Amino acid sequence: LEARISDGTIIMTPAGVTADSYLLHWSDQHNAIVVSNDLFREYKKKYLWLAERENGRCVTGIFDEGQAAWTFMERNAGPGVPRGVGELARDVESRNTPVQKSEIDENPFTFANSSNNFVARVDRQNPTAIVILLDQSFSMSQMWGPGGFTKAERLAKIVNDVLRELVLQCTRGDAGEVRPYFDCAVIGYGTSVETPITSMFAGTTLEEPFLSITDVWNQREMREFGAPENTRMKPVWIDSVAVGNTPMCKAFTSAKEALTKWINEHEYSFPPIVFNITDGAPTDGNPADAAHELTSLETKDGNVLLFTAHIMASSDQVIRYPGSLDMSMASNAHNMFNITSLVPNSLRETARQLGISIPPGGRGFLFNSEADDVIGMLNVGTQGATVVER
């Protein structure tokens, strides 16, 4: 399975995403045929072809054990008696033009938006940058969610899984080439008392924290996971750390300095996205000024985006992508909310396609979120508005 995922034969639904929504969006983008016993009735208004007769886009397979043969029938959410696919074949062949593969970049990440910003094409000549700022202070040793794992352990797994999914999104061709559509950096803060800010990829520095996604894949370490009777090998880049204070201001400043240089070399790229994942208040001052300087950076396509996952050990409230916060909430939550960027229309559309609802005016802010919420936020920022072509 891992090999078939790596070479693009099998596409896995990203973690934290509704499977039906992802399947139908991919099929819609690629003019593909869906073979399923599901009518997808709840999606027929969004994808009109689900209810259209005679288009051959949605079929079901019935296995006749007596004849040891499959029969494929038209399957749709509209009225009428389904026909055998054989009757539809000639009409479908004349109407549907197959998607052609090309060695030329096929615009795999199109951030469609009605505004003038956040519409730039992402390709090998114009990658975009993804920066993950990871709180690794001592408080990350607290337990988080079921299973007996600490916040640090769960977040390390989340970051590793998201990096792996980025690799899969950028994989092309029979040889499984990983193309450099992303430049990635992971910066830990609170890593140690002696070194409070650290670039987490091997061989990188705070001045040069970026690796292309191609080099990220080449740097992987394969490790065994799972119960002894059911282990599997998975790539790992980031280990869990939970020591020290929370020097968030320094982390923002470090990201700003690295992105200033990156933007000077990629001024026409889709704007970088910075994800700050933290569970506490900064211990080196108010982060507002440092965050403002970070999000004031811009390419020709728009300003740097800053999304925040403010995770808690326990709380009565769970808040996702709000447009405002109740005044009764703690001041630190307001501080984190105020420095977080509005979600552009293009990424709101991406979220909708991934089964995540973000209202107009919503910010990329999570409070007391679960692990799946954090995965979903990272997916919103990294997946783009279209599913990657294989």
Side-chain angles (χ1 to χ4, degrees):
L1 177 62
E2 291 292 331
R4 297 291 72 78
I5 292 171
S6 296
D7 67 20
T9 303
I10 294 174
I11 301 173
M12 291 283 284
T13 303
V17 177
T18 303
D20 284 355
S21 178
Y22 188 83
L23 164 69
L24 293 176
H25 173 67
W26 193 98
S27 302
D28 188 63
Q29 292 290 317
H30 292 76
N31 198 33
I33 294 172
V34 177
V35 182
S36 173
N37 65 351
D38 195 332
L39 290 176
F40 305 108
R41 293 186 188 278
E42 64 270 34
Y43 293 94
K44 68 179 183 179
K45 291 183 179 179
K46 180 178 178 181
Y47 300 108
L48 300 180
W49 49 268
L50 286 171
E52 289 175 356
R53 303 292 300 164
E54 300 182 6
N55 65 14
R57 292 289 304 280
C58 193
V59 303
T60 186
I62 304 169
F63 186 70
D64 186 330
E65 293 187 2
Q67 298 294 322
W70 286 90
T71 299
F72 292 94
M73 302 291 290
E74 182 181 20
R75 181 83 162 170
N76 59 61
V81 179
R83 297 193 296 163
V85 172
E87 298 179 60
L88 302 169
R90 285 189 298 274
D91 288 341
V92 172
E93 184 177 4
S94 65
R95 286 197 301 267
N96 290 352
T97 302
V99 177
Q100 299 295 322
K101 291 185 179 180
S102 172
E103 286 305 308
I104 301 174
D105 279 311
E106 56 282 323
N107 190 14
F109 302 97
T110 301
F111 297 86
N113 191 357
S114 59
S115 70
N116 293 325
N117 296 118
F118 304 99
V119 295
R121 158 195 176 101
V122 178
D123 55 29
R124 282 178 283 187
Q125 288 70 43
N126 297 285
T128 193
I130 301 296
V131 180
I132 299 176
L133 302 180
L134 195 57
D135 183 347
Q136 296 183 317
S137 60
F138 178 74
S139 59
M140 299 298 282
S141 60
Q142 295 176 338
M143 307 308 291
W144 184 33
F149 294 100
T150 66
K151 297 175 186 176
E153 290 168 336
R154 284 192 178 275
L155 290 178
K157 181 182 184 303
I158 287 171
V159 172
N160 287 321
D161 287 347
V162 168
L163 290 172
R164 175 177 171 276
E165 288 184 5
L166 279 178
V167 168
L168 295 177
Q169 290 181 47
C170 297
T171 301
R172 296 289 186 279
D174 295 337
E177 174 193 3
V178 181
R179 295 184 180 175
Y181 296 134
F182 290 98
D183 289 334
C184 302
V186 181
I187 297 175
Y189 57 98
T191 309
S192 71
V193 176
E194 297 79 13
T195 311
I197 310 290
T198 305
S199 181
M200 302 299 291
F201 287 133
T204 63
T205 65
L206 290 176
E207 292 73 26
E208 300 283 349
F210 289 105
L211 288 179
S212 77
I213 193 66
T214 306
D215 293 330
V216 169
W217 179 238
N218 292 335
Q219 197 184 94
R220 69 193 181 278
E221 177 186 343
M222 301 302 295
R223 296 184 190 170
E224 239 180 33
F225 289 87
E229 66 278 6
N230 187 29
T231 60
R232 61 183 299 190
M233 302 298 291
K234 295 180 66 175
V236 171
W237 295 271
I238 306 302
D239 288 316
S240 62
V241 178
V243 296
N245 294 319
T246 312
M248 190 183 301
C249 299
K250 290 182 180 178
F252 286 156
T253 299
S254 181
K256 182 205 73 173
E257 292 171 351
L259 282 173
T260 298
K261 181 176 180 180
W262 188 93
I263 289 172
N264 286 339
E265 299 170 355
H266 303 86
E267 60 177 332
Y268 292 98
S269 289
F270 185 89
I273 304 177
V274 179
F275 299 93
N276 182 34
I277 307 175
T278 181
D279 76 336
T283 56
D284 59 347
N286 190 324
D289 289 342
H292 177 72
E293 291 180 7
L294 174 61
T295 54
S296 294
L297 300 176
E298 58 182 337
T299 69
K300 299 292 186 182
D301 193 45
N303 288 76
V304 169
L305 297 174
L306 173 61
F307 288 178
T308 305
H310 189 177
I311 63 175
M312 308 288 286
S314 62
S315 174
D316 294 333
Q317 290 179 293
V318 177
I319 300 174
R320 304 175 180 91
Y321 309 104
S324 62
L325 290 187
D326 190 281
M327 293 304 296
S328 64
M329 292 188 64
S331 60
N332 190 50
H334 281 275
N335 290 339
M336 293 294 99
F337 171 80
N338 290 335
I339 64 176
T340 300
S341 301
L342 293 171
V343 180
N345 290 340
S346 58
L347 297 191
R348 287 180 54 235
E349 174 62 17
T350 299
R352 185 184 66 81
Q353 294 162 358
L354 297 176
I356 299 170
S357 177
I358 301 179
R363 301 195 184 213
F365 179 76
L366 301 174
F367 178 80
N368 190 30
S369 50
E370 299 176 350
D372 282 351
D373 293 324
V374 179
I375 293 171
M377 183 182 75
L378 290 164
N379 281 331
V380 167
T382 58
Q383 294 242 350
T386 59
V387 179
V388 179
E389 297 180 6
R390 292 291 175 180

